[in-house]
Amino acid sequence: VTDEQIETVEAKASEAYKRALDEDAKDKAKAMEKLIQDQHEECDFKAAFREFQSNLVTYGTAFLKGPFTIKRKSPKWEGKNRVIVDKIIPACSAPSPHDIFQAPWAKNEQDGYLIERIKTYREGLSSVRKMEHYQTKEIEDLLSEGRANPINSIQIGDDARASAENKSLTPADNRFEVWQFTGPVPGYMLEDWGVKDCIPSEEYNMEVMWSGSHVIKVMPMWDEAGVRPYFRAVFKARVGSFWGVGVPHLMSASQDRANTLMTAMVDNVNWASGPLGWIDLNSLVNPDDARNFHPRKLTPVQSRPGQTGKPMEFTSIDLKVGELSRLYQTCLTDADNE
């Protein structure tokens, strides 16, 4: 066997090995793609992402949260019987910027701490009370206290938000208000909440939830380095600011100019729609003629001694719709560009 023959066999074997690796990688990629698609469907990612996009263009800042787990009722076959079981599934959400409160010095979602305001129904609290890291007794006490009136609060901006979301006339909100904190927590506070093996002077990256005076969840963050399950995007960044600028603010100047021009156009059409004039009432034979005009009407007038001016006169306002319309379209183009 010559060296050339050995090299040829080696080259063919190497190519076959690479093709096999490629095919295996493609199969694994397709399987992972299907898994990701199934997880997206299960946690309703498309709906969360649509909400994320809406918040991004409207407020200039948007948040995606996840993955986190929730408990959901799910049908299942057991033999020949169809039963309902509790199933823990991954979930995601797009919190409203109205419900996010960052550390005052924070420049991004991983800086300092982050607090989210969450509204949940009684069923939501009841379903998680026995899950790991949730404080069962605290949740049961909370549900008992809020039997008649769920624990809630009024925050600055709630009225404006309700009006913007067309909810100002809806009945009172009967959901529980829960606050979720993610960030460093001192060990002495964790000891008070029943967490063991904590050093009082140390800080630990935790996820803590409370409602009213009840701490209902204390859990180490899923990433040991303290990376939060919140991901932020801004439409247009502002230097040194946590919050971005959205489309309404970016186009507001052009929109104001366009509104001013449209108002001027309507006024111009209004004034130019018919002649304007004046009448010397002392010259009219019948004073009612000053209020009763129609096409081809002749109005009798009489001259007074020494009168040199006209008893009545009319003028027309020039129509400037063309010029105003071109300026209006220019402002709309500026707004689109912004």
Side-chain angles (χ1 to χ4, degrees):
V1 179
T2 64
D3 290 342
E4 289 79 7
Q5 289 174 322
I6 293 174
E7 289 175 358
T8 300
V9 172
E10 285 181 342
K12 290 182 178 179
S14 178
E15 283 297 320
Y17 181 64
K18 289 180 180 178
R19 285 196 300 271
L21 285 177
D22 288 344
E23 291 299 323
D24 185 55
K26 289 178 182 178
D27 291 341
K28 289 180 178 179
K30 288 180 180 178
M32 181 57 68
E33 183 179 354
K34 186 177 184 303
L35 175 63
I36 293 173
Q37 182 67 29
D38 290 344
Q39 290 179 340
H40 278 182
E41 293 291 337
E42 192 171 37
C43 69
D44 202 11
F45 177 79
K46 289 183 178 180
F49 192 70
R50 283 195 298 269
E51 188 73 16
F52 169 84
Q53 290 175 309
S54 176
N55 291 337
L56 182 63
V57 297
T58 304
Y59 299 109
T61 308
F63 301 88
L64 272 177
K65 177 185 177 183
F68 55 91
T69 56
I70 60 174
K71 185 180 288 188
R72 179 176 294 172
K73 299 291 185 183
S74 178
K76 179 183 177 182
W77 287 102
E78 288 188 356
K80 296 182 179 180
N81 298 322
R82 185 83 161 169
V83 297
I84 301 297
V85 297
D86 289 329
K87 183 180 180 182
I88 296 178
I89 63 172
C92 63
S93 66
S96 169
H98 290 287
D99 293 326
I100 296 292
F101 303 87
Q102 85 286 5
W105 58 86
K107 294 183 179 180
N108 57 62
E109 67 274 25
Q110 304 300 333
D111 191 11
Y113 59 82
L114 202 67
I115 298 175
E116 181 189 357
R117 181 190 189 190
I118 302 171
K119 293 294 187 73
T120 182
Y121 293 101
R122 179 178 295 273
E123 294 83 358
L125 283 173
S126 179
S127 67
V128 299
R129 71 185 189 277
K130 293 185 179 179
M131 289 179 63
E132 187 180 10
H133 302 299
Y134 284 89
Q135 309 292 319
T136 304
K137 185 178 184 308
E138 291 291 322
I139 295 176
E140 291 175 348
D141 290 345
L142 173 63
L143 293 172
S144 297
E145 290 179 16
R147 193 178 302 278
N149 296 307
I151 294 176
N152 228 318
S153 69
I154 298 175
Q155 302 296 320
I156 296 175
D158 280 356
D159 289 341
R161 175 182 178 180
S163 177
E165 294 177 351
N166 199 27
K167 296 177 181 176
S168 55
L169 299 179
T170 56
D173 195 342
N174 63 350
R175 295 175 296 172
F176 283 85
E177 181 181 73
V178 177
W179 299 86
Q180 178 172 317
F181 172 96
T182 53
V185 179
Y188 69 86
M189 294 185 70
L190 296 177
E191 287 183 338
D192 292 341
W193 296 333
V195 180
K196 299 178 180 179
D197 302 325
C198 293
I199 301 174
S201 59
E202 291 287 339
E203 288 195 337
Y204 300 86
N205 289 307
M206 304 293 290
E207 177 184 305
V208 181
M209 298 180 71
W210 76 91
S211 181
S213 61
H214 298 277
V215 177
I216 62 177
K217 181 184 181 183
V218 182
M219 183 184 79
M221 288 173 58
W222 62 278
D223 187 300
E224 296 83 354
V227 178
R228 295 170 186 81
Y230 293 90
F231 304 91
R232 178 184 63 111
V234 294
F235 191 84
K236 184 175 182 180
R238 289 190 289 192
V239 178
S241 175
F242 181 88
W243 302 97
V245 182
V247 170
H249 283 291
L250 289 173
M251 65 182 293
S252 61
S254 298
Q255 197 173 36
D256 289 343
R257 291 194 296 270
N259 291 342
T260 301
L261 285 167
M262 179 55 71
T263 301
M265 195 186 310
V266 172
D267 286 343
N268 178 245
V269 171
N270 183 34
W271 286 100
S273 60
L276 303 175
W278 58 268
I279 298 174
D280 183 354
L281 294 177
N282 294 324
S283 300
L284 291 178
V285 175
N286 180 11
D288 290 338
D289 285 334
R291 295 183 295 274
N292 183 17
F293 274 87
H294 56 79
R296 296 186 295 276
K297 177 185 177 181
L298 298 178
T299 303
V301 297
Q302 55 188 1
S303 298
R304 301 192 308 274
Q307 180 179 354
T308 57
K310 300 176 182 179
M312 58 195 313
E313 188 170 2
F314 295 91
T315 186
S316 296
I317 300 295
D318 293 338
L319 196 62
K320 302 291 184 181
V321 172
E323 295 92 327
L324 292 171
S325 180
R326 285 192 292 273
L327 288 172
Y328 176 72
Q329 293 300 327
T330 300
C331 289
L332 292 187
T333 301
D334 290 342
D336 288 340
N337 291 338
E338 292 290 352

